[in-house]
């Protein structure tokens, strides 16, 4: 259990270029979010794929192998080769490499999963040094400042396609993240999310 007397990092950096994600390593930054527009062709394609055919994967890999993992997941789901499919795989690969660069690590745990319920509806800190989240389909991750009791107020939400890196409970150093997050409630709405989750393995590298 982390010492709650530690300094809290409470800032969330937001920007429209990928370089903003490096801000998560700076003092006082609990998270960094790259706000971006979904590429129209990719968005139309992924939103039109039947839920049972959405690609899924869970494995340990290097950042450089993430694109191949995504391609294998698409093959396994029976998705035909095409421009949109390759755009998805290329983006997953690029995000893995960028995450590895931000954290100074090449070993990652990758999850590409279909979310159809409220399994992660409670606000929390992940038990990892840091986590990257990107919802390719469906609502984005919700986040806000930690409170002693109750959910954050206000609650912010990433847009579909946005990329966020959130410090976890195992972030090394003398700061504890004061920003918690959750999957948005979707049960009962017939919605499905396609979520990319990347976890860094080992100690977070920051203060550079």
């Amino acid at each position: 259990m982390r010492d709650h007397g530690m300094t809290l990092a409470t800032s969330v950096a937001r920007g429209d270029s990928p370089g903003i994600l490096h801000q998560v390593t700076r003092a006082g930054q609990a998270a960094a979010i790259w706000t971006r527009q979904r590429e129209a062709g990719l968005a139309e394609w992924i939103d039109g794929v039947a839920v049972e055919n959405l690609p899924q994967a869970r494995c340990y890999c290097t950042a450089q192998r993430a694109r191949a993992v995504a391609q294998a997941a698409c093959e396994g789901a029976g998705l035909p080769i095409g421009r949109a499919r390759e755009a998805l795989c290329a983006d997953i690969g690029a995000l893995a490499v960028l995450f590895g660069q931000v954290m100074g690590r090449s070993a990652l745990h990758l999850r590409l999963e279909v979310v159809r319920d409220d399994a992660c509806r409670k606000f929390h800190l992940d038990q990892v040094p840091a986590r990257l989240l990107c919802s390719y389909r469906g609502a984005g991750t919700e986040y806000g400042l930690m409170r002693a009791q109750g959910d954050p107020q206000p609650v912010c939400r990433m847009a579909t396609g946005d990329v966020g890196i959130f410090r976890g409970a195992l972030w090394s150093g003398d700061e504890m993240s004061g920003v918690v997050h959750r999957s948005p409630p979707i049960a009962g709405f017939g919605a499905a999310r396609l979520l990319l989750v990347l976890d860094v393995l080992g100690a977070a590298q920051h203060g550079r």
Side-chain angles (χ1 to χ4, degrees):
M1 186 75 174
R2 300 293 292 271
D3 180 1
H4 285 260
M6 298 174 71
T7 301
L8 279 181
T10 57
S11 294
V12 177
R14 295 176 62 90
D16 59 5
S17 66
I20 193 67
L21 296 176
H22 288 270
Q23 295 290 321
V24 75
T25 65
R26 297 197 172 184
Q29 297 288 344
I33 296 173
W34 172 18
T35 59
R36 58 181 191 164
Q37 293 290 326
R38 290 203 297 169
E39 192 275 317
L42 173 57
E44 182 179 3
W45 174 76
I46 200 67
D47 288 347
V49 173
V51 174
E52 59 271 20
N53 295 126
L54 288 171
Q56 299 191 69
R58 182 186 293 258
C59 68
Y60 294 98
C61 65
T62 62
Q64 291 72 23
R65 286 283 302 161
R67 181 172 183 169
V69 170
Q71 289 171 332
C74 288
E75 286 289 334
L79 296 174
I81 295 174
R83 181 176 178 181
R85 195 190 92 165
E86 289 309 302
L88 172 66
C89 296
D91 194 66
I92 290 171
L95 292 183
V97 170
L98 179 56
F99 186 45
Q101 290 171 346
V102 170
M103 302 308 302
R105 315 287 290 189
S106 62
L108 307 174
H109 184 258
L110 181 153
R111 277 189 289 142
L112 185 62
E113 59 184 9
V114 178
V115 182
R116 304 182 69 176
D117 56 25
D118 295 344
C120 295
R121 67 185 182 277
K122 294 184 178 180
F123 283 95
H124 63 281
L125 285 178
D126 298 308
Q127 294 299 311
V128 294
R131 173 166 289 177
L132 180 146
L133 296 166
C134 176
S135 181
Y136 285 103
R137 170 171 160 169
T141 298
E142 295 183 341
Y143 64 94
L145 291 177
M146 182 188 302
R147 300 172 64 200
Q149 293 184 339
D151 292 342
Q153 293 293 336
V155 173
C156 302
R157 178 181 287 184
M158 292 166 55
T160 308
D162 284 356
V163 182
I165 298 179
F166 293 82
R167 291 189 187 183
L170 303 185
W171 183 270
S172 63
D174 57 2
E175 291 185 334
M176 176 181 175
S177 177
V179 172
V180 289
H181 65 274
R182 72 173 182 182
S183 292
I186 60 172
F189 292 96
R193 303 171 67 218
L194 180 63
L195 182 67
L196 174 67
V197 182
L198 298 176
D199 292 332
V200 67
L201 305 181
Q205 302 297 302
H206 58 283
R208 295 171 308 198

